[in-house]
Amino acid sequence: MSVVSFAYYPGCSAKGSSADYERSTRTVCGLLDICLEELPGWNCCGSTPAHAVDTELSAALCVRNLDIAAQCGAKTVLTPCPSCLSNLRHAGRRMATPEFRARVNELLDAPAAETLPEVTSVMQGIARQYDKAALTARVKKPLTGLRLGAYYGCLMSRPADLMDFGDPENPTLMEEMLTACGAEVVDFPLKTSCCGASFGIPERPMTARNSAKILDLAVNMGLDALVVACPLCQMNLDLRQKQAAKSAGTTFDLPVPYFTQLLGLALGAPTDQLGLDKLCVSLDGLLKKAEGGQQCG
Amino acid sequence: MRIGVFICHCGSNIGGTVDCARVAELSRAFPDVVYADDPMYTCAEPGQAAIEAAIHEHRLDGVVVASCTPRMHEPTFRRTVERAGLNRYMFEMANIREHVSWIGKDKEANTNKAAELVLMAVEKLRRNTPLTPKSFDITKKVLIIGGGVAGIQAALDCADGGVPVVLVEREATIGGKMAKLDKTFPTVDCSACILGPKMVDVAQHPNITLYAYAEVEDISGYVGNFSVKIRKKAAYVDWSKCTGCGACTEKCPARKTPDAFNELTGPTTAINIAFPQAIPKKAVINAAHCRQLSKGKCGVCAKVCPTGAIRYDMEDEIVTEEVGSIVAATGYDLMDWTVYSEYGGGKYPDVITSLQYERLLSASGPTGGHILRPSDGREPKSVVFIQCVGSRDKSVGRPYCSGFCCMYTAKQAVLTKDHIPDSQSWVFYMDIRAPGKMYDEFTRRAVEEYGTEYIRGRVSAIYPDGKGQYVVMGVDTLLGQPVEIKADLVVLAVGIEASKGASQLAEKLRISYDQYGFFMESHVKLKPVETNTAGVFLAGVCQGAKDIPASVAQGSAAAAKVLALFARDKLESDPQIAQVDMRRCVNCGKCIRCCPFGAIKEVEMRGEGKAQVIETVCQGCGLCTATCPQGAIQLSHATDNQILAEVNALCQC
Amino acid sequence: MPVLEGKELRIVGFLCNWCSYGGADTAGVARAGQPTDLRIIRVPCSGRIDPLFIVKALLGGADGVLVSGCHPRDCHYAAGNFYARRRLEVLKQFLPVLGIDERRFEYTWVSASEGQRWQQVVTVFTERIHQLGRAPRFDDAEPLLKLADMALTSLRPLGTGQTAALDELKDAIRAKLPELDCVIGWQQGYDAAHTVPLFIRKPEDVDKLVWGPFNVNNPAVYLPSFKGKKVGIVVKGCDSRSVVELLQENLIRREDVTIFALPCEGTLDMARVNEKLGRYQRIDSVSLDEAGATIVADGTEHRFCMTEYAQGKCYGCTTPAAVLADTRLGTPTPVQPGTVVPPELALLDSMSLEERMAFWRGQMERCLRCYACRNACPMCVCRDFCISDSRNPHWMSQEDSPREKLFFQTIHAMHLAGRCTGCGECQRACPVGIPILALRQQIARAVAQLFDGYRPGLDPAAVPPLLGYEVEEKNIHERDWK
Amino acid sequence: MSMIRFVTADGLPGFLAHLAKDGQRVLVPVEKPANKPSVVFEPWQEGKAFTLAKATVPPKEAVLPQCETLFSFKKAKDPADPARVSLQLEEAPPPPPTVVFACRPCDARGFAVLDRPYLHGPFADPCYKARREALTVITLTCASGCNTCFCHWVGGGPSSPEGSDVLMTAIEGGYVLQAITPRGEACLAASALPDGAEVFPRAEEARKAAWQSLEPAPDLKDAPQRLAALFTDTTFWQEQTDRCLSCGACTYFCPTCYCFNITDEGEGLSEKGGRRLRSWDNCMSSLFTREASGHNPRNAKALRMRNRVSHKFATYPENWGSFSCNGCGRCISNCPVCLDIRAIVLAALEKGADA
């Protein structure tokens, strides 16, 4: 498989709270001969607070990154985090209107490049290179015996025309990839309902309640794990799992791994290169079940 | 020529923003105008009487009335001038209400415009010639398309009126959607009990020829002389021999055929009879699922059939019927609600449509009348009804209200409590529409006697809770709070649209239809069952959302129109048709080639080819007149000279 | 009864009775306010509207004309609006060539229930007309005379056809003559520098047949009058297209016509030849070589090479060989692909709207309404019953105003829409040299754009575009009304 | 000795200005630039370019316009009784005094041909009379014949004075103006041009030279009887008119065709009122003889051509003694198919000879 390279925009959480997501992403891409060239001197995309305060300033933040990618001659930029993906794509689209472009160019040191590269998620980047059959071909340790559910969160597929991620109410890309890895994937109904996002700080009971509802359904459906692709959702469902359990008056013990971690397992990456240790609810039970499955699978 | 002009005040509708007296005064200066007046209400009795008097007193031979739209009162005034002895085509109207007084307040501009419109009407009238309709004989027979309750009612009324009826029904049995219902509101009568006898009457009525499992292939001709090609679809069963004993359905091995009649709530056999009271009670083979017809080996039904009625080699057959009038009663279908992915988009088996719920409630349904969840067959204890799924919703292109869902949901809630006393029903609604007789009282009973919880709000999502129930997330706008209900069964009151193929049928009937496929009535308030095509009438939901009583009423109304049409032995042809001036025609054949109705043919006259109009086929569109380079063919009452007169009245710089 | 000065402009509406007139009523019932300028003429169907009504209104002083009918597929008469859509779109593309701003004419579809849409259509259109202001009157235009630039490059080598197999053709005609009533060709006119149509009836007439650059007449013009008799015809490439168009409209029957064809190498523009020859008593000699003709008149020699003196239509000619023939002799010269904008049309394209109106005002002054242009046209089969002079229907008066004369040219052009093969006889026949071919060329260009490059007279089986319709038109798109 | 004046070539505009004094309309030949150039008579103004070439359209317009308002009428309705309509007639304004400048002898002779039916018949046509009496004709003699001219066949000639008031002949350096009629003399007398008596012989030489350049003319004196005899020989006429398109070019460009049509245009009630128009009619069109019933005695073009040629070469000579064709050749040069009236007459003579 020839090596294909993409510009890579990690986003702040990748260097901090979701280091495991970054770690597993790099490992998986390495195994799949996808070279990620990190943007030199990238800056924060402004995440939620920036565009709430000033849309032009937040756009300038994003356009600066896109401009760097353009200078590097990149055609496509991959980013793992849905929030960064949404901000970058919004900025890219709004630069099409001349007045907006003029105001943003004033904010930047130098005017941005005429044509800015396209931005897409890591998941879509992988899917572009490997369709289901190609992915299955690369699987070393199939995840047979695992009953998984995919959880996208509310940002990844909305607004539909901007994010271009399939049916906003019912995206299916992660299910397809996990099925390709041999797992039994269940259609998880609350896959795009909100986990409470950054309200974990100002409105913790609401985040607990939302996460509890999601975890409760996952447990009721007998899932071995709820697979996620967003650092903030992972934090609410994994790190705050106990708070959610407390608010729902029950206990949860449901692993919430990133899809790249499970992909890494399936591709046979050594378990220490997937940042599994960082997960609050450990993945060991699941791994035993998977191995059990492999012996007899 | 002596013309009389009447400028109507129409109370204040015109007089309010047009100086009618001034227009009358200006009209007196127009060519050939010898009398001008501005009556208060021209269309009223005294107004018409004044016109007749003026005709006699001033020896008028032409009348111009400036009032409302000719589409409304041209026939009225034509009869008025006719009563006074004038030919009814020596009359013209100027529309100074809808096109002048009602669309602007500038009195000076309106008055000037009204005067100009009157001048145009006068100039046209001066070139009008008396026209007398010719009469032609008609086939006193009616074609009724669609065997639902509206079609049945129209057929019975026409047949009782002595008019032979050809009833064409696309499905294997008549009865339409009503046959699928368990009970009907507001009396909770059993639907089959009140519809069944009418269906039997249709079968037994000597005047009615029933073509079930047949579709209209092509329609040509015009009022009084329609020629209709009907395609009798191959049922693979010789209905003359089949007694409807049902032996074949028991033995048929293809047990998993989707049962369209039961709205896919249960399987059926490849050869089946839709429901016990089906008329005609004849078997039909579903070719796609019959093993013999699709894979070529089985033949069980042929073996067991006591009368040997099975014929695998049967083919579609085209039959032609000559009729004088057509009633379209093609009913409706439920819109495709799976566009709502937030309700599961059809993924969850226990989220069903109201029609499917009717089949579950019905004793002749797949569950024998027991309410059982399609997923696990358990009896549901909590049932949630959701209103306006695909009605009053612009986002899916269905902005209209479907009319009868609020009422049947209340009935279904009552029946749910009746079947399962310890069940609890919830209804998510926006506004309850219960306008009919005893309708609102019925919904109050659903709330007060049967404990149905009505929650005013929309549902944002339905998802399985993993433990066999469904979480219905909605909002209660009266309490201002989000609401979550655990439901065992969710029934969607799905909105309606015109039945499949309605727009193609409309094009065959040459009637207009709106973007949802509902047929266009001639006038929404005054002519709901007529269309713009003479001799074609409408009945039931094909014309727009309405409940059973209204559909039945329209069935009778359409029948009344047909009987009125056939009351006379001969029909008068519309004299506004094209005529050829044989001297000018050079037989270039352009008119023959472009006439949409094939109403012009080439004839021989003194050794030369000439064009000639077939009077009974010409519809008066005037296409030929606009095509003929030398003006040899002229549409009466809209000739080149008449239209040029109006153009020149405006543009003579 | 003029419109209110300063407040209103003259806007004429043609509305179909079933849909748009009903839509206007619905707007009225809904009290949807509208400007008062529009005066509505009710017609049974949009298909009833002859585009000439619209030209009559516009030339007669209307500032704007609005036509509205039923939506496609919704017509009460099934196909009325389909035909109307094609005719009105051709008209809309034709008006600019007269100097009339095409924005002054609009057609649209409004159904009986769309009251609000009708209010918007009327308001938007009236606003547009008020922005355009009063329409310039044709009679007030200052006459402007301009010359078409005849320096053109031909798509194929032009010549005098001297190598054509004329003798073989004569033999072929002699062979077929007994079974034919007559064969139409060309013979020398009153002197060697002119040819006139020849009607061969007897064997000795065959020798009079000539072939060369002087064969300017189009013999197809006589075919309709021979209907029912067997007739032969010798054709150039452009003449054959006229024969095919007559077949397309079954104005002649294929079995009655025997077609003889030689490859044409172009014809001389006799107007410019006569101008150069000037006033002379007699022609001493005419010699033809493959590059052109040398004519000696009253002793002085004049040289006419084809590349400079051919007719405008010959430069852009793409069918030097007959499109249809029974006896075809000689191999035609190949034609390079590409298109040449005809000189007369190029002249008009170079002018602004005002200039064009002034141009036609200047040209039409000297028209004497002799109707040579009409009678030279092979497609004009109405002949003795033409609405231009039969006064019933009363389209035209006997006045000799430039406006009436221009109105006849629009009648002729619109009647030729989708039928004119561009043979140029109308312009050649005009005694006072009015460049009327430009009007027909604009119509032909519009028809080609609108109907996938359709060109009349190429395929005997093709239906002339304005005598047919498509339910979904590929190149005619509904204008939105926001 | 008639009055002779001389005008230099560049003195012409001055002479025209003199002619155009006190509102007199001076029609001069003007060239209309086009791919096919044509020369038409148009009123002259100061500084307007004109040519002395032979006009494509004859100056018949001066006495018989293509379309002339005989009178206009206005209707008025009595407001009290709208049924009573009053009608007033308005005479057409008197025609302006006109000078036709630099027409050719065949054109001038046209006026003479028209005078006979319009003036010397039982009724004089008032409109024509008014125009004719206000007309002065200054004719430029032809320096030579041309391929389509045959004026000398029919009694005319390159310098025939018939119908002219002043005969103008080009000599090098200018033009000799010879007054033919008293009106011509009055016009020249008032023009303050130098006397041209001594140069007149050079003018006569030029005129003689023009005559010599002509081909010998065939003798047409038997033409009237021969054509009349051929009235029933329709095959002859069909052969002659195979190629005729029966348009109106030959009649509308002929200086001697004088048939007209009268129509009413306009209602009379609008402020513009109505007008009664006299406009040229064209005997080559089938409309000319179509009766109300639709029957047409001369439906075929051969019959119509027979009528046109016989009228000019048989019927008119019978009534007035001379051919009504001036041999100007416009019906030949302007015909789309160059139908040659000379060929028809000669063919008729030849056919008659052996009958």
Side-chain angles (χ1 to χ4, degrees), chain C residues 57-227:
Chain C
L58 286 169
L59 286 182
D63 302 312
V65 176
L66 176 65
V67 168
S68 182
C70 300
H71 285 276
R73 279 206 189 80
D74 214 1
C75 171
H76 175 64
Y77 301 105
N81 49 7
F82 291 142
Y83 284 104
R85 172 166 55 187
R86 286 199 159 192
R87 291 171 188 172
L88 297 176
E89 187 60 36
V90 167
L91 173 72
K92 193 156 171 65
Q93 314 231 348
F94 174 66
L95 290 175
V97 89
L98 292 177
I100 300 176
D101 188 330
E102 49 105 8
R103 288 173 302 174
R104 290 187 180 283
F105 160 63
E106 196 54 78
Y107 70 94
T108 183
W109 317 118
V110 173
S111 84
S113 56
E114 292 174 312
Q116 249 172 351
R117 175 142 182 273
W118 176 252
Q119 172 194 31
Q120 197 207 359
V121 163
V122 171
T123 315
V124 164
F125 186 69
T126 307
E127 181 48 42
R128 177 203 292 181
I129 296 301
H130 275 275
Q131 267 154 20
L132 292 174
R134 278 186 69 76
R137 292 286 175 270
F138 182 72
D139 297 335
D140 309 342
E142 259 311 307
L144 161 79
L145 293 178
K146 275 188 153 181
L147 270 174
D149 168 15
M150 297 307 283
L152 303 158
T153 52
S154 165
L155 294 180
R156 41 123 191 181
L158 294 171
T160 59
Q162 293 317 299
T163 58
L166 183 56
D167 300 331
E168 273 172 69
L169 176 65
K170 288 183 177 175
D171 298 341
I173 292 176
R174 262 189 216 92
K176 282 266 180 36
L177 195 54
E179 56 192 77
L180 297 176
D181 186 66
C182 87
V183 178
I184 312 171
W186 298 270
Q187 64 181 327
Q188 185 184 316
Y190 50 79
D191 62 32
H194 292 87
T195 68
V196 291
L198 161 69
F199 291 76
I200 304 168
R201 287 197 169 77
K202 300 188 285 302
E204 57 272 20
D205 298 340
V206 176
D207 292 328
K208 296 183 192 160
L209 185 66
V210 292
W211 179 263
F214 295 109
N215 293 8
V216 288
N217 292 75
N218 181 351
V221 74
Y222 301 105
L223 289 179
S225 55
F226 277 91
K227 197 161 187 185

Side-chain angles (χ1 to χ4, degrees), chain A residues 107-119:
Chain A
L107 296 169
L108 294 176
D109 326 344
E114 247 340 284
T115 53
L116 297 170
E118 175 216 16
V119 188

Side-chain angles (χ1 to χ4, degrees), chain B residues 364-378:
Chain B
S364 67
T367 65
H370 302 291
I371 305 174
L372 306 174
R373 287 172 18 120
S375 59
D376 57 9
R378 262 194 323 98

Side-chain angles (χ1 to χ4, degrees), chain D residues 93-175:
Chain D
T98 307
V99 172
V100 168
F101 178 76
C103 66
R104 293 303 171 102
C106 49
D107 301 332
R109 191 163 176 275
F111 295 127
V113 167
L114 295 184
D115 285 350
R116 295 189 191 95
Y118 275 104
L119 297 180
H120 312 320
F123 310 101
D125 180 294
C127 299
Y128 180 86
K129 190 164 189 292
R131 286 181 193 280
R132 187 67 176 91
E133 280 160 3
L135 180 66
T136 312
V137 180
I138 302 175
T139 309
L140 177 67
T141 59
C142 298
S144 70
C146 84
N147 58 341
T148 49
C149 300
F150 58 104
C151 50
H152 56 298
W153 290 25
V154 287
S159 58
S160 121
E162 203 182 347
S164 308
D165 294 311
V166 173
L167 214 55
M168 189 167 125
T169 305
I171 55 174
E172 88 285 358
Y175 301 88

Side-chain angles (χ1 to χ4, degrees), chain B residues 470-552:
Chain B
Y470 296 88
V471 175
V472 179
M473 294 169 59
V475 68
D476 184 334
T477 57
L478 301 183
L479 298 179
Q481 287 172 328
V483 162
E484 271 189 26
I485 294 177
K486 286 269 197 300
D488 296 322
L489 182 68
V490 179
V491 179
L492 306 176
V494 178
I496 63 164
E497 62 186 12
S499 66
K500 305 230 170 346
S503 44
Q504 286 76 359
L505 178 64
E507 278 161 26
K508 289 177 191 163
L509 286 165
R510 271 201 296 288
I511 56 175
S512 336
Y513 53 93
D514 62 20
Q515 70 255 46
Y516 315 111
F518 292 118
F519 297 149
M520 187 83 157
E521 64 292 333
S522 177
H523 192 279
V524 66
K525 282 197 102 66
L526 295 181
K527 295 178 182 156
V529 292
E530 288 157 282
T531 66
N532 288 338
T533 308
V536 177
F537 305 106
L538 306 174
V541 182
C542 67
Q543 185 254 339
K546 56 177 65 67
D547 59 11
I548 291 171
S551 295
V552 169

